[in-house]
Amino acid sequence: MAGIFTPHELKTIEVDVEKKIFRVNGEDFGHGCTEFSIYCDAGRDAKEFLRVDMRIDTTIKFASYDRSGKKTLEGERHLPETDAACD
């Protein structure tokens, strides 16, 4: 699996289901992603106009090998949903 992109700020979100494009800030997050959600609401006070949250969920697959190259361990770990960005 390719490296999993983890955005640290949210500037743009591009989702085109027909073309299978899933990008945050121009970077692909679709590969390795098992679920994502986007939430938007009005600001809570005069300073905050709009709040946009995006959460990305994924599963990490891993393996361990001994010195001779024999696989000794294989598994996967489901990472809980984490904040991708909050503005």
Side-chain angles (χ1 to χ4, degrees):
M1 175 190 326
I4 297 169
F5 168 68
T6 305
H8 298 285
E9 63 180 338
L10 184 57
K11 293 182 179 182
T12 63
I13 301 171
E14 179 182 5
V15 176
D16 187 326
V17 176
E18 185 177 22
K19 294 179 182 175
K20 297 179 180 145
I21 296 171
F22 302 93
R23 296 183 184 135
V24 171
N25 304 334
E27 297 282 338
D28 180 66
F29 71 88
H31 299 294
C33 175
T34 56
E35 181 180 342
F36 73 92
S37 63
I38 301 168
Y39 178 76
C40 180
D41 66 0
R44 294 182 193 96
D45 57 39
K47 291 181 184 179
E48 190 175 71
F49 168 69
L50 189 65
R51 181 175 178 86
V52 179
D53 294 326
M54 181 173 188
R55 300 181 186 277
I56 299 174
D57 192 41
T58 191
T59 298
I60 303 295
K61 295 183 180 185
F62 60 89
S64 297
Y65 300 85
D66 65 15
R67 290 182 189 259
S68 67
K70 181 181 173 187
K71 188 183 291 186
T72 58
L73 175 69
E74 184 174 7
E76 64 181 48
R77 188 175 117 200
H78 180 78
L79 295 180
E81 192 175 85
T82 58
D83 285 341
C86 297
D87 284 341

